[in-house]
Amino acid sequence: MSNRDINHLLAELKARYLEDVKMIGEEAQTALLVESHCLTDILGFLKTNESYQFNMLRNLTAVDYLEYIEVVYHLYSLPFRQTITVKTRCGMEDLQVPSATTIWPSANFQEREIYDLLGVKFTGHPDLRRILLRDEFEGHPLRKTYQAGTTGEKEVKSLC
Amino acid sequence: MLKTETFTLNMGPQHPSTHGVLQVVLELDGETVVQAIPNMGYLHRGIEKLAESRTYAQFIPYTDRLDYVSSMGNNLGYCQTVEKMMDIKVPERAEYLRIIMTELNRIASHLIFMGSLAIDLGASTGMMFGFRSRERILDLFDMVCGARQTYTYIRFGGVSADIPSEFIPALERFLTDFPAMLDEYHRLLTGNEILYHRLKNTGVISAQRAVEIGLTGPALRASGVDYDIRKVEPYGIYDRFDFSVPLGQVGDCWDRYTIRMEEMKQSAGIVAQALSQMPEGTVMASVPKVVKPPAGEVYHSIENPRGELGYYIVSNGGTNPYRLHVRRPSFINLQVLNEACQGLLIGDVVAILATLDSLMGEVDC
């Protein structure tokens, strides 16, 4: 999305959600940072609004920044051939983000993956359980604080 | 009244038609599928976590091991993402070589699709034929980089080596032979009545649903949605080539099959165009010895044989990625399996799995 368009969109969102939405990053890295309590509203708005129609969730992932975890949505508009990045943050003490599965069913596996590897709970997800790791696995490996090799398995001593 | 109940059947993880270690838990009512739940993770290696402890260049070989039948595309997506972050300009000749290799790899990958679809539906000759032609392409790759499956040929700033003198004649021979090969497959498989009836109107996915559920690649285009990243967001030098994007109408297994067959023809056309336009020159830009992209983040995606392969890299200015996420088309495409299978028979599950063409190396990452 060009900067002019994104500014226009931002102005429109600002009018509705005030301080809950702002723009971060520069040029190609521009993203909308949204407070998690109005995330579902804004994602729904971006998908259904006639002049944007971001009807495709291309990619969904999350990044651990130690103080908080940032969930990143890369959206695409098939009718207008435009992209936009939406981000939301949740603090380490309350790792909860509303699920986007009601807006894009394609978020299902990707949210499960984030839950599995980073431990973010997606409220309202229809089937939130681990997807890549086994159910008994403890911890979330993609966290920066995760120590590999401390999964509670027995230490294997060398036989030599 | 007769009281009936459903039962559960495990298909996989060791089952030839799941193309790797995928378990599908089937809930069956007699022979009719009520639910088909995929269970993955048997091949999970934690590649995203490994990336955080490797330098940018050290990660290239790991990308080979994602979608291991189209490794050139994986290399390309990753290298272009890092090049985008560092603003590296790739020499012309290398751009052409990249196109030639990734399109050849697309043909090789679709040949595997064709072969495995055939054997899954009971036609083992189809597989032999598919693998026979793929061998020709692997020989070409062997010539340029010495590997047949895990190439690491595309590097930051270009490709690892220029092509040897015997490559172009061999490629030209392949391009001459390929239409006849494709014609042979059409006679063998496309004209086969059993195959037609197994695939036609099986596992129909509507265009709207395909977008909602996140399908990309041939599986999405079979439903009639025109979304090919080579066209909508041309990366590299794709805007210089003349090719068409085949679209399906119904979104059934048959469309997913015919589209891939047509894509092979288009890819061969792109290779021929690239070969005739390719200039002389260097194949590697000057890239710093230590790759340190500036702090920031980039999402870049390319059209891999299985769909949109995206890399999301967050850099903090160091020598290793701070976070690296791969958007794997196979993983996301697998979401549609359950609803596509409902109400069909077990044999159709095999056909749907084969035409979705998910590859477990990529699903599990």
Side-chain angles (χ1 to χ4, degrees), chain B residues 19-20 25 58 67 85 172 188 232 237 263 289 329 343 345-346:
Chain B
H19 303 176
V25 181
Q58 279 174 340
D67 178 353
M85 295 179 99
E172 277 167 350
L188 183 75
V232 301
I237 51 166
E263 271 188 11
K289 279 241 152 38
L345 304 176
I346 302 176

Side-chain angles (χ1 to χ4, degrees), chain B residues 176-221:
Chain B
T176 319
D177 296 348
F178 189 63
M181 293 176 183
L182 207 56
D183 198 41
E184 194 176 15
Y185 305 141
H186 276 304
R187 271 183 286 135
L188 183 75
L189 293 170
T190 317
N192 186 308
E193 201 181 335
I194 302 173
L195 191 92
Y196 179 81
H197 287 295
R198 288 284 303 270
L199 299 183
K200 192 69 197 162
N201 290 328
T202 307
V204 179
I205 305 161
S206 72
Q208 195 206 344
R209 191 62 190 161
V211 174
E212 277 178 359
I213 204 94
L215 288 184
T216 45
L220 176 67
R221 292 192 289 274

Side-chain angles (χ1 to χ4, degrees), chain B residues 12-24:
Chain B
Q14 277 81 29
H15 189 282
S17 71
T18 56
H19 303 176
V21 275
L22 170 71
Q23 182 190 33
V24 183

